[in-house]
Amino acid sequence: MGSRIKNIIKYITIKTSKVTGVTNLFYKLNKDRKIILAYHNVIPDKYFNDYIHLDYSIRESQFRKHLDVIKRRFNVGVDLYNTKEITITFDDGYKNQYSIASKILDEYNMNGYFFYVADLLEEKDILSIDKIQYWLDHVCPGKYENKKYNLVLDIEDTTSRRNQWIKIQTLIDNKVSFDEICDILNDMYRFEDININKKFYDLRFTPIKKYELNDMKENGHKIGAHSSSHNILSNMKKDDLNKDIDKCKDLLNKGIYNTKTFCYPFGGVEDVSEEVMNTVKEKGFSNAMSFMNTKLNNREYGQFFMPRMTLPNTYDEDYIDFILSGTYYFLRNRRLLPKNE
Ligand SMILES: [Zn+2]
């Protein structure tokens, strides 16, 4: 089916669900279900574009629209077991989450969870996965080759950049590490020779500083662990996994993190093995967040695989309600939203 027709059907479904009261009905049916929302970067509208590295990010004005819809229906807070409250979370720890997202929450009198990658505190300036996407989105057009991996990257327009990202994902699926891919790309065209607007770069790709984390904590926000390396944890050797989570535990003991809630990088069933969940538990974390994922395979949601929902990048309040109420989830899965217990 063409995407235009799909969009028309989606639009009609959303509007029908609203006017017939189905959306409202699902708000009622799901009222004892805890909703936890997942966000990444909140970017000023003027910088927002169709970049691969913004696929999981949102425009500032749309984020505000989300909050306006949310606050009509729910309180917002950090108690993960209070079903009257929605909980809002952010992953990774880049500057915009401090200077934009946390400030907007302050303005709305809301608190959230910010899951911060341990290595961003001192060891890394940027996560390797973001570096890869930054390269693909902003490198000069051209044809780039790597013999060892038989890789040819043909960069022209936006579409071609997305197609090259699919090639890189094949390497990731074949367990080539993010660091290795960064090295390959850097050999093709050096990262330091790529230029973008400095203000945009700072917001999107530089980490929140320690004193800014303190400021956030003082304002009532929770700073939690999101691994040290931001690798796919299920791909890591036992030793490396232990070291990774130990570093997080260390930041928890030092009070850099002020919550024992952990958040897995990527967070799909494939990215979080039983071993990963057990390790996080053994190291003293009290629970851990994943994503609400249509392919659960044989996994059940639980304390170490808590479901998080994402909302669409839209200004359409009926569309936001359609997702938030669990109507869409019901249509896809024929069940109410998962319980958090
Ligand atoms: Zn992440």
Side-chain angles (χ1 to χ4, degrees), residues 10 58 62 66 310-316 319-320 323-324:
K10 187 167 88 182
I58 186 168
Q62 278 175 340
H66 284 190
T310 52
L311 294 178
N313 285 6
T314 178
Y315 298 102
D316 183 343
Y319 187 15
I320 298 169
I323 305 293
L324 201 54

Side-chain angles (χ1 to χ4, degrees), residues 91-104:
D91 289 6
D92 295 349
Y94 288 112
K95 184 76 82 189
N96 67 84
Q97 297 175 343
Y98 167 70
S99 61
I100 301 174
S102 87
K103 298 297 175 194
I104 293 174

Side-chain angles (χ1 to χ4, degrees), residues 86-279:
I86 245 185
T87 296
I88 299 180
T89 70
F90 301 85
D91 289 6
D92 295 349
Y94 288 112
K95 184 76 82 189
N96 67 84
Q97 297 175 343
Y98 167 70
S99 61
I100 301 174
S102 87
K103 298 297 175 194
I104 293 174
L105 291 187
D106 293 346
E107 198 185 302
Y108 278 75
N109 270 317
M110 296 171 176
N111 284 130
Y113 281 80
F114 294 81
F115 294 107
Y116 186 87
V117 177
D119 281 354
L120 288 180
L121 196 62
E122 279 164 359
E123 280 153 66
K124 274 188 189 168
D125 298 329
I126 177 175
L127 301 179
S128 303
I129 177 72
D130 287 306
K131 216 170 158 178
I132 294 167
Q133 295 190 334
Y134 169 72
W135 192 97
L136 289 168
D137 279 316
H138 300 290
V139 73
C140 292
K143 192 168 182 174
Y144 303 98
E145 291 182 59
N146 177 285
K147 293 232 163 62
K148 185 181 165 199
Y149 287 96
N150 212 353
L151 184 68
V152 181
L153 298 178
D154 241 320
I155 307 274
E156 289 170 50
D157 54 0
T158 312
T159 314
S160 74
R161 290 178 193 270
R162 287 195 174 273
N163 290 336
Q164 310 321 299
W165 169 231
I166 294 168
K167 290 184 192 167
I168 298 291
Q169 281 174 307
T170 311
L171 293 183
I172 297 169
D173 290 342
N174 288 321
K175 306 204 172 167
V176 181
S177 75
F178 295 129
D179 288 342
E180 170 88 14
I181 296 171
C182 281
D183 289 343
I184 297 169
L185 296 180
N186 197 51
D187 286 343
M188 292 170 161
Y189 192 99
R190 295 192 322 165
F191 282 97
E192 57 189 84
D193 294 335
I194 299 172
N195 279 305
I196 68 167
N197 178 290
K198 192 178 173 310
K199 186 87 184 30
F200 179 33
Y201 187 92
D202 279 350
L203 287 170
R204 173 62 186 86
F205 295 112
T206 63
I208 303 172
K209 301 272 192 304
K210 193 175 172 183
Y211 71 90
E212 294 165 334
L213 291 175
N214 289 337
D215 186 32
M216 293 162 82
K217 285 181 272 188
E218 271 170 33
N219 287 330
H221 301 294
K222 298 284 186 193
I223 309 297
H226 189 45
S227 83
S228 302
S229 60
H230 207 280
N231 281 325
I232 298 172
L233 299 184
S234 57
N235 282 353
M236 292 176 84
K237 293 195 193 85
K238 178 86 186 157
D239 262 14
D240 294 334
L241 177 65
N242 271 319
K243 275 183 212 151
D244 185 295
I245 312 299
D246 275 336
K247 267 199 212 168
C248 296
K249 193 179 160 188
D250 188 42
L251 293 198
L252 182 64
N253 292 337
K254 285 181 179 151
I256 304 282
Y257 295 137
N258 63 347
T259 171
K260 286 186 170 177
T261 299
F262 188 93
C263 176
Y264 305 110
F266 307 100
V269 174
E270 307 291 317
D271 313 305
V272 185
S273 61
E274 294 285 336
E275 186 184 42
V276 169
M277 293 195 284
N278 288 333
T279 307

